[in-house]
């Protein structure tokens, strides 16, 4: 989720088929807040299976040899719908998306009053928006992640005659289990490492996106096609996915690991266990699935977001 990152703070006249710059002040906010959640929800639905596979690959005791093996095994033994386990609670993240958008656009507007540097105008608001929205994202992630991995313990890759998958667990059951065993704070397990994962990741995404867009506009000053924005989004998503994969792997394990002696896992203990299990290569677990999730998600997100903004103009 994010905002318009084209360079100028004003509307421009451009050629037919090209895209002018749409800033926050140009929007009909009522129309925008009606259309934006729809675009965000559809984007989540399309890329959700890659997020589930990424989570399973990063989880402790992963049963799969790689991204495509995970897809094949899940569909074969749990059925296609299993790729959408946890989607319902995850869809509540749409609320966080709107918080993210609002903080990003407002802080970008404020930052633009002090600097014209595209990198700064995108990096600072991107990080700040993620920092604020994580208060909603973390509980949603914890519940949806536990639903994602539920049932996979019944399977061992390559074993014939595997038993059928267990029935999907409900979000309510997961929520109740967390509250009962860990209290309310259990819903925020890994909060700080989530901040350390997504705030820099968001900042990197917008900084890379803004830099690519600046290069595109420098090459062609009169045209700014949706394809260019989609390409910039794909590049930004891929760079972010790879650069933040190690800390995302640790974050996922912190949020999914069982309590030991009544205590929740810590970042150092999870890091040590991961290195012991898979070496330093283990930090890049699920990187292919993460790129397959983040790059298309970035393309769909920025395309939908800019389209919604144009539909919401006053």
């Amino acid at each position: 989720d994010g905002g318009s990152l084209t360079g100028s703070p004003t509307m421009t006249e451009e050629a037919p088929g090209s895209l002018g710059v749409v800033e926050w002040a140009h929007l009909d906010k009522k129309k925008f807040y009606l259309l934006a959640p729809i675009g965000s929800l559809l984007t989540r639905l399309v890329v959700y299976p890659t997020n589930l596979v990424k989570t399973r690959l990063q989880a402790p005791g992963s049963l799969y040899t790689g991204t495509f093996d995970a897809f094949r095994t899940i569909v074969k033994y749990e059925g296609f719908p299993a790729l959408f386990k946890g989607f319902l609670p995850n869809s509540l993240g749409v609320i966080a998306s709107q918080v993210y958008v609002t903080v990003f656009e407002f802080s970008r507007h404020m930052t633009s009053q002090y600097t014209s540097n595209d990198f700064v105008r995108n990096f600072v608001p991107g990080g700040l928006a993620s920092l604020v929205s994580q208060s909603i994202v973390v509980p949603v992630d914890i519940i949806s992640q536990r639903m994602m991995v539920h049932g996979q313990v019944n399977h061992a890759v390559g074993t014939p005659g595997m038993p059928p998958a267990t029935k999907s667990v409900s979000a309510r059951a997961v929520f109740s289990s967390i509250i009962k065993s860990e209290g309310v704070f259990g819903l925020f397990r890994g909060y700080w490492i989530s901040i350390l994962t997504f705030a820099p990741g968001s900042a990197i995404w917008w900084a890379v996106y803004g830099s690519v867009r600046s290069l595109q506009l420098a090459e062609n000053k009169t045209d700014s096609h949706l394809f260019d924005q989609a390409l910039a989004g794909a590049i930004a998503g891929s760079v972010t996915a790879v650069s933040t994969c190690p800390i995302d792997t640790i974050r996922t394990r912190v949020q999914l690991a069982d309590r030991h002696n009544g205590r929740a896992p810590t970042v150092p203990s999870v890091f040590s266990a991961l290195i012991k299990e898979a070496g330093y290569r283990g930090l890049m677990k699920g990187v292919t699935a993460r790129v397959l999730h983040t790059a298309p998600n970035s393309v769909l997100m920025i395309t939908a977001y800019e389209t919604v903004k144009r539909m919401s103009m006053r």
Side-chain angles (χ1 to χ4, degrees):
D1 308 320
S4 171
L5 290 181
T6 42
S8 170
T10 59
M11 287 291 291
T12 57
E13 294 286 337
E14 296 193 358
S18 63
L19 301 174
V21 178
V22 182
E23 294 289 346
W24 193 238
H26 304 136
L27 301 180
D28 178 334
K29 303 303 189 295
K30 290 183 178 179
K31 187 183 295 185
F32 175 79
Y33 281 115
L34 175 64
L35 295 174
I38 297 174
S40 179
L41 188 62
L42 290 175
T43 299
R44 284 173 181 270
L45 180 64
V46 171
V47 300
Y48 191 79
T50 55
N51 187 28
L52 180 140
V53 167
K54 185 271 300 182
T55 299
R56 288 199 175 192
L57 287 169
Q58 292 179 334
S62 176
L63 304 172
Y64 313 105
T65 60
T67 299
F68 299 105
D69 175 66
F71 270 111
R72 183 174 59 252
T73 304
I74 291 169
V75 172
K76 182 176 181 180
Y77 294 106
E78 299 178 55
F80 183 78
L83 292 172
F84 294 90
K85 284 184 176 181
F87 177 75
L88 188 58
N90 185 270
S91 65
L92 294 177
V94 169
I95 299 172
S97 298
Q98 303 319 301
V99 173
Y100 181 102
V101 164
T102 304
V103 174
F104 176 85
E105 291 285 3
F106 180 76
S107 57
R108 184 171 184 270
H109 172 73
M110 297 299 294
T111 305
S112 298
Q113 297 180 18
Y114 298 95
T115 180
S116 59
N117 184 286
D118 278 336
F119 184 89
V120 176
R121 291 172 67 222
N122 298 323
F123 186 90
V124 174
L128 182 60
S130 185
L131 182 67
V132 173
S133 64
Q134 283 305 303
S135 296
I136 302 173
V137 170
V138 172
V140 167
D141 269 356
I142 287 179
I143 293 174
S144 62
Q145 283 173 352
R146 295 193 184 190
M147 294 177 70
M148 287 177 186
V149 301
H150 180 76
Q152 69 166 343
V153 293
N154 294 324
H155 308 303
V157 176
T159 301
M162 293 160 59
T166 57
K167 185 179 180 180
S168 296
V169 67
S170 69
R172 181 177 180 179
V174 172
F175 175 82
S176 299
S177 175
I178 293 172
I179 295 299
K180 183 178 180 180
S181 62
E182 302 182 50
V184 175
F185 289 109
L187 294 171
F188 292 89
R189 185 201 284 189
Y191 177 80
W192 292 111
I193 195 170
S194 291
I195 294 293
L196 292 175
T197 301
F198 292 112
S202 176
I204 291 169
W205 195 98
W206 287 108
V208 172
Y209 178 84
S211 298
V212 174
R213 294 291 294 125
S214 294
L215 290 174
Q216 290 172 332
L217 292 171
E219 288 293 321
N220 193 345
K221 294 181 173 60
T222 58
D223 265 345
S224 178
H225 290 282
L226 199 60
F227 173 80
D228 293 331
Q229 292 179 329
L231 178 61
I235 294 172
S238 299
V239 171
T240 303
V242 174
S243 61
T244 60
C245 187
I247 195 167
D248 185 59
T249 300
I250 296 173
R251 174 194 69 88
T252 301
R253 289 193 166 217
V254 166
Q255 293 180 332
L256 286 175
D258 294 329
R259 294 171 68 88
H260 182 67
N261 294 329
R263 301 182 65 180
T266 63
V267 171
S269 67
V270 167
F271 176 79
S272 298
L274 176 60
I275 299 303
K276 183 177 180 180
E277 172 191 323
Y280 286 99
R281 293 179 59 183
L283 292 170
M284 299 302 290
K285 275 179 173 284
V287 65
T288 301
R290 196 159 197 262
V291 171
L292 289 176
H293 169 74
T294 307
N297 181 65
S298 298
V299 171
L300 292 172
M301 178 273 292
I302 200 64
T303 302
Y305 185 67
E306 294 294 350
T307 300
V308 166
K309 287 178 72 176
R310 282 164 178 80
M311 292 174 65
S312 303
M313 288 178 61
R314 292 173 178 172

